[in-house]
């Protein structure tokens, strides 16, 4: 199996190297054939790995490939930990990546950076695989930083656009903030345990009960050492998984090509933080304060980012804010120690959110790169495959019974309701309220895009590749098979996967050896007790509050955005009068605060050090000033050096008198 694990990880890297290094000498067809073929093999091997691990045919693998270096008692190695959690992540990453690779043939057709694009997405796949397969913190950090680097490259793929370069720089800087916290958390664990390997760290912590009461002084306050480590580790997750206030990079990342939104910002990279917390659950379970912090942050993100989704008009940004909200759901589950529910929703969300992003891309293709939903409408008959697959993804997202998203989202809601962690009351309210909000913005997108009258006009005088808002060169049409094929393949798990695996995740049997849950925090235990099969759970959903809230949200969206648009105009006017619309339009002013007080503040501080400290004090005073002083002193001493012998003799005589006087006085 070790050879299979190596192939899974390194085949995408080989594809990235071949497509990237030879991008100028190979054709587009060769580039995408190489990368797709190698990712497909990796996906097939990942599926086999999941099968043998899930059935128990192969035990958990935990071993090093090679030791990179050893520093004292600390070993830095490249190694793999492959259990059910890893195997599931391998399938999610490689399958979604494969669909994105295939989809990109159609979406990126004719782009001058075609080969470079395929090299990047294969490199991203390798980076994510190294992250999820790692058995130590150093390799985890390598994968963590590698996906951040490739994300930077992909968000700014169209680097000639100022908005794209701004977005990728914003993503890079914000993630560096989170990564600083992450590396502090890693350093704390290494300092406490003297180890980098997961098992060694967990064993050291469990064997040293004194750590539970040991404290450190930080910013003038006393912190429990494990709480300190756990919170800083989670700050890293806040950056990668876009939790408030480190969420600001994800909506702007929509400047990258749409396939990137599906691969990075819906299904894989943004779930790295959820995976990391689940993998390190033995650490987080030892700190109630850390779990409470995680839960509250997740609840704020789920509720308030979902609200912003209602007021977006760009089709991709609606799905982006939906991603933020759903990541909040997963984070709330982590805070409730419902790791299995968080990972379950991670998996189902990967399928239906990748589907929604790719469906949005298909709509953009059909609309000749129009992204404003206010200029769409009536596409159901013109793009039937895109319509149907988008509907499946939408129903899964809002938690329709028997769709995949229903089982995972309902498990989270039930677990939070059973949690006794501080903040669980607010978190329960947030996830319940977000059900209605999710249905409202999701069905708003669906109705505005696919139903009602067409709100665009056809202008045959336009060139097919020109974009003029509200005008198209010809009527929209369905995307080619290379685009719709991945939509169909993603729609299948979006519809069915929950029914097949819900029992294994809700009862905890699937991840029982991969995560640790304290008996005091086991919110999923009661959920498991009340689980009587997927059929009973699905039927029971029709009499529960979350499903009825989803129905009300869908009905409200239908009435306001399709049946009677005057209602939308009325409540929009009300929000404008109260000032709330300005708050929502400015995204709670997070961007303004970051720009004015952090970005501009950093520039001002840098300008101060440049002009006042570096230029005036160091250059003008210390460097040039000392040179000027030496020049003046040299001018004085030059006058003493006349070159006349009698002057030299006189100075010698004076020096001798001074020396004799000194000796006589201080003898």
């Amino acid at each position: 199996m070790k050879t299979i694990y190596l192939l899974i990880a390194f085949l995408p890297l080989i594809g990235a190297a071949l497509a990237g290094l030879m991008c100028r000498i190979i054709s587009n067809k060769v580039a995408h054939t190489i990368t797709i073929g190698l990712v497909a093999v990796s996906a097939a091997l990942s599926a086999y790995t999941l099968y043998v691990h899930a059935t128990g045919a192969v035990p958990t693998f935990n071993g090093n490939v090679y030791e990179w270096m050893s520093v004292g008692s600390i070993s830095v190695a490249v190694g793999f930990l492959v259990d059910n959690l890893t195997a599931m992540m391998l399938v999610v990453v490689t399958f979604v990546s494969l669909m994105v690779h295939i989809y990109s043939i159609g979406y990126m057709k004719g782009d001058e950076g075609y080969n470079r694009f395929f090299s990047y997405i294969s490199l991203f796949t390798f980076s994510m695989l190294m992250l999820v397969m790692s058995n130590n913190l150093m390799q985890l950090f390598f994968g963590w930083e590698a996906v951040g680097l490739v994300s930077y490259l992909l968000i700014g793929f169209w680097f000639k656009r100022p908005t794209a370069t701004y977005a990728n720089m914003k993503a890079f800087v914000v993630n560096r903030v989170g990564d600083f916290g992450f590396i502090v958390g890693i350093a704390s664990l290494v300092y406490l345990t003297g180890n980098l390997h997961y098992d060694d760290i967990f064993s050291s912590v469990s064997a040293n009960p004194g750590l539970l009461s040991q404290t450190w002084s930080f910013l003038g306050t006393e912190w429990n050492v494990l709480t300190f480590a756990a919170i800083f580790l989670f700050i890293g997750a806040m950056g990668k998984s876009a939790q408030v206030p480190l969420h600001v990079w994800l909506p702007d990342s929509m400047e990258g090509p749409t396939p990137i939104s599906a691969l990075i910002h819906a299904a894989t990279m943004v779930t790295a933080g959820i995976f990391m917390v689940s993998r390190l659950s033995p650490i987080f379970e030892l700190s109630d304060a850390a779990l409470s912090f995680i839960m509250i942050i997740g609840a704020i993100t789920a509720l308030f980012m979902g609200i912003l989704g209602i007021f977006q008009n760009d089709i991709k940004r609606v799905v982006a804010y939906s991603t933020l909200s759903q990541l909040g759901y997963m984070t709330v589950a982590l805070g409730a120690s419902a790791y299995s529910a968080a990972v379950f929703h991670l998996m189902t969300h990967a399928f239906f959110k990748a589907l929604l992003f790719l469906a949005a891309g298909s709509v953009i293709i059909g609309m000749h790169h129009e992204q404003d939903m206010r200029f769409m409408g009536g596409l159901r008959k013109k793009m039937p495959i895109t319509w149907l697959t988008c509907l499946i993804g939408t129903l899964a997202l809002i938690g329709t019974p028997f769709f995949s998203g229903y089982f995972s989202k309902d498990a989270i809601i039930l677990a939070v309701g059973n949690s006794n962690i501080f903040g669980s009351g607010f978190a329960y309210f947030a996830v319940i309220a977000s059900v209605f909000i999710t249905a409202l913005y999701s069905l708003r997108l669906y109705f505005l895009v696919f139903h009602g009258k067409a709100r665009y006009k056809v202008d045959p005088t336009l060139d097919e590749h020109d974009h003029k808002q509200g005008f198209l060169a010809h009527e929209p049409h369905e995307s080619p098979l290379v685009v719709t094929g991945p939509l169909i393949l993603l729609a299948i798990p979006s519809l069915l996967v929950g029914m097949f695996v819900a029992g294994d995740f809700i009862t905890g049997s699937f991840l029982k050896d991969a995560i640790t849950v304290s008996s005091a925090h086991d919110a999923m235990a009661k959920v498991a007790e009340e689980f009587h099969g997927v059929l009973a759970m699905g039927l029971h959903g029709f009499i529960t509050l979350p499903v009825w809230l989803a129905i009300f949200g869908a009905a409200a969206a239908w009435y306001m955005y399709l049946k009677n648009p005057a209602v939308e105009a009325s409540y929009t006017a009300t929000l404008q009068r109260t000032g709330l619309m300005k708050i929502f339009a400015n995204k709670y002013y997070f961007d303004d605060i970051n720009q004015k007080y952090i970005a501009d503040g950093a520039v001002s501080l840098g300008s101060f050090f440049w002009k006042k400290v570096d230029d005036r004090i160091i250059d003008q005073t210390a460097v040039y000033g000392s040179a000027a002083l030496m020049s003046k002193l040299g001018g004085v001493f030059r006058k003493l050096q006349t070159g006349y012998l009698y002057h030299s003799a006189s100075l010698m005589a004076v020096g001798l008198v001074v020396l004799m006087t000194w000796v006589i006085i201080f003898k």
Side-chain angles (χ1 to χ4, degrees):
M1 288 299 295
K2 189 175 181 179
T3 302
I4 291 178
Y5 303 147
L6 287 169
L7 289 173
I8 291 172
F10 287 98
L11 284 177
L13 177 62
I14 294 171
L18 292 174
L21 296 176
M22 298 191 297
C23 66
R24 296 185 181 275
I25 61 176
I26 61 175
S27 67
N28 292 354
K29 185 175 181 180
V30 172
H32 73 233
T33 300
I34 291 173
T35 53
I36 291 174
L38 293 176
V39 170
V41 174
S42 180
L45 294 176
S46 297
Y48 173 74
T49 299
L50 176 60
Y51 172 76
V52 296
H53 279 276
T55 58
V58 173
T60 295
F61 176 87
N62 187 0
N64 292 338
V65 177
Y66 73 93
E67 186 177 64
W68 181 34
M69 65 178 180
S70 180
V71 182
S73 61
I74 300 176
S75 171
V76 181
V78 175
F80 295 147
L81 169 58
V82 184
D83 52 14
N84 284 1
L85 174 59
T86 302
M88 184 275 294
M89 290 296 297
L90 292 180
V91 171
V92 169
V93 172
T94 56
F95 178 73
V96 173
S97 176
L98 178 60
M99 295 300 101
V100 169
H101 274 73
I102 297 171
Y103 179 94
S104 298
I105 296 174
Y107 193 89
M108 300 300 294
K109 183 179 179 181
D111 194 286
E112 61 182 12
Y114 188 92
N115 292 359
R116 176 167 58 92
F117 181 83
F118 277 88
S119 175
Y120 284 173
I121 56 178
S122 287
L123 181 60
F124 173 84
T125 306
F126 159 74
S127 303
M128 192 68 194
L129 290 172
M130 290 297 287
L131 188 156
V132 301
M133 296 176 74
S134 63
N135 70 348
N136 63 83
L137 293 174
M138 186 59 70
Q139 187 176 325
L140 175 71
F141 188 72
F142 162 77
W144 194 272
E145 293 301 301
V147 294
L149 169 64
V150 185
S151 174
Y152 166 82
L153 296 173
L154 286 168
I155 295 170
F157 180 78
W158 289 317
F159 53 85
K160 294 181 181 179
R161 299 180 182 178
T163 51
T165 55
Y166 176 83
N168 75 344
M169 187 60 69
K170 186 175 184 179
F172 185 84
V173 172
V174 172
N175 273 279
R176 295 293 72 73
V177 175
D179 292 352
F180 173 77
F182 187 46
I183 201 168
V184 169
I186 290 175
S188 301
L189 289 181
V190 175
Y191 176 80
L192 289 171
T193 65
N195 288 291
L196 284 168
H197 287 259
Y198 298 151
D199 284 353
D200 294 335
I201 291 173
F202 301 155
S203 299
S204 297
V205 170
S206 63
N208 188 3
L211 291 178
L212 296 175
S213 57
Q214 184 177 336
T215 61
W216 282 342
S217 179
F218 178 71
L219 298 178
T221 59
E222 293 296 317
W223 289 60
N224 176 274
V225 293
L226 292 178
T227 297
F228 180 90
I231 287 180
F232 274 90
L233 286 170
F234 178 68
I235 290 173
M238 288 170 64
K240 277 291 181 290
S241 294
Q243 298 296 289
V244 172
L246 301 182
H247 67 285
V248 292
W249 65 271
L250 193 142
D252 286 354
S253 70
M254 298 301 108
E255 289 293 335
T258 299
I260 299 314
S261 303
L263 179 63
I264 295 180
H265 311 120
T268 51
M269 190 188 88
V270 292
T271 62
I274 309 301
F275 169 81
M276 181 271 291
V277 175
S278 299
R279 176 60 79 196
L280 300 182
S281 58
I283 302 298
F284 287 90
E285 282 301 290
L286 297 175
S287 173
D288 286 5
L291 292 175
S292 180
F293 177 71
I294 293 170
M295 180 181 287
I296 292 171
I297 292 293
I300 293 171
T301 305
L303 179 60
F304 291 98
M305 294 303 106
I307 292 173
L308 291 184
I310 301 172
F311 302 97
Q312 302 301 310
N313 294 314
D314 185 305
I315 186 172
K316 287 174 62 176
R317 285 184 177 266
V318 175
V319 187
Y321 278 103
S322 171
T323 299
L324 287 171
S325 182
Q326 297 306 304
L327 288 168
Y329 269 89
M330 300 175 212
T331 304
V332 166
L334 296 176
S337 295
Y339 304 102
S340 58
V343 172
F344 185 20
H345 197 53
L346 181 159
M347 179 187 66
T348 60
H349 176 265
F351 294 129
F352 63 71
K353 190 53 65 66
L355 169 61
L356 288 172
F357 265 118
L358 296 185
S362 180
V363 170
I364 293 169
I365 293 173
M367 293 293 298
H368 307 292
H369 302 288
E370 176 62 71
Q371 296 184 201
D372 194 325
M373 298 185 299
R374 292 172 296 182
F375 299 101
M376 298 182 185
L379 297 183
R380 179 175 64 88
K381 294 182 179 180
K382 299 181 184 299
M383 307 182 72
I385 298 176
T386 302
W387 159 71
L388 181 58
T389 54
C390 185
L391 176 60
I392 291 173
T394 300
L395 293 176
L397 170 61
I398 68 175
T400 306
F402 296 106
F403 283 71
S404 61
Y406 163 74
F407 295 104
S408 56
K409 183 182 286 188
D410 206 52
I412 291 175
I413 294 172
L414 293 172
V416 175
N418 292 326
S419 175
N420 56 10
I421 296 292
F422 175 79
S424 58
F426 167 67
Y428 185 72
F429 163 77
V431 294
I432 285 289
S434 296
V435 172
F436 174 83
I437 294 168
T438 302
L440 184 60
Y441 66 66
S442 299
L443 272 298
R444 173 178 178 263
L445 182 154
Y446 172 75
F447 289 130
L448 288 179
V449 173
F450 295 104
H451 290 272
K453 295 181 180 180
R455 294 180 297 279
Y456 57 85
K457 295 181 180 180
V458 176
D459 184 356
T461 63
L462 287 176
D463 184 87
E464 185 174 352
H465 300 289
D466 287 343
H467 175 245
K468 184 178 179 182
Q469 194 170 57
F471 294 89
L472 305 179
H474 53 74
E475 288 287 344
H477 54 79
E478 185 59 273
S479 300
L481 180 61
V482 73
V483 170
T484 57
L487 298 183
I488 296 170
L489 293 175
L490 284 166
I492 295 171
S494 298
L495 175 62
L496 300 175
V497 73
M499 290 187 283
F500 288 99
V501 301
D504 294 328
F505 280 96
I506 292 174
T507 61
S509 60
F510 184 74
L511 297 177
K512 63 180 184 300
D513 298 324
I515 61 175
T516 298
V517 181
S518 166
S519 58
H521 302 151
D522 198 355
M524 286 297 292
K526 189 174 181 180
V527 180
E529 289 176 6
E530 297 176 353
F531 177 75
H532 302 294
V534 293
L535 179 61
M537 184 177 181
L539 293 174
H540 181 261
F542 288 105
I543 61 172
T544 59
L545 178 61
V547 171
W548 279 103
L549 285 173
I551 293 172
F552 291 148
W558 170 80
Y559 187 75
M560 287 192 296
Y561 302 111
L562 192 62
K563 183 68 174 177
N564 189 4
V567 176
E568 179 195 8
S570 176
Y571 86 72
T572 300
T574 301
L575 291 175
Q576 288 175 338
R577 285 196 301 271
T578 59
L580 288 175
M581 181 58 77
K582 189 175 182 180
I583 294 174
F584 297 143
N586 286 282
K587 298 169 285 189
Y588 306 122
Y589 295 99
F590 276 106
D591 286 335
D592 293 337
I593 292 171
N594 288 335
Q595 185 64 43
K596 184 175 181 180
Y597 296 103
I598 299 179
D600 291 349
V603 171
S604 298
L605 184 63
S607 180
F608 168 78
F609 280 108
W610 163 43
K611 294 181 178 179
K612 303 297 183 183
V613 178
D614 186 51
D615 184 51
R616 181 167 298 181
I617 297 176
I618 296 177
D619 287 347
Q620 300 298 331
T621 303
V623 178
Y624 300 141
S626 60
L629 177 63
M630 291 301 102
S631 178
K632 289 181 179 180
L633 289 176
V636 172
F637 285 112
R638 276 198 303 272
K639 293 180 179 179
L640 298 178
Q641 301 296 325
T642 63
Y644 293 113
L645 182 62
Y646 62 86
H647 282 171
S648 298
S650 298
L651 287 174
M652 291 174 64
V654 171
L656 181 62
V657 171
V658 171
L659 179 61
M660 292 177 64
T661 303
W662 176 275
V663 171
I664 292 171
I665 294 175
F666 295 101
K667 182 178 180 181

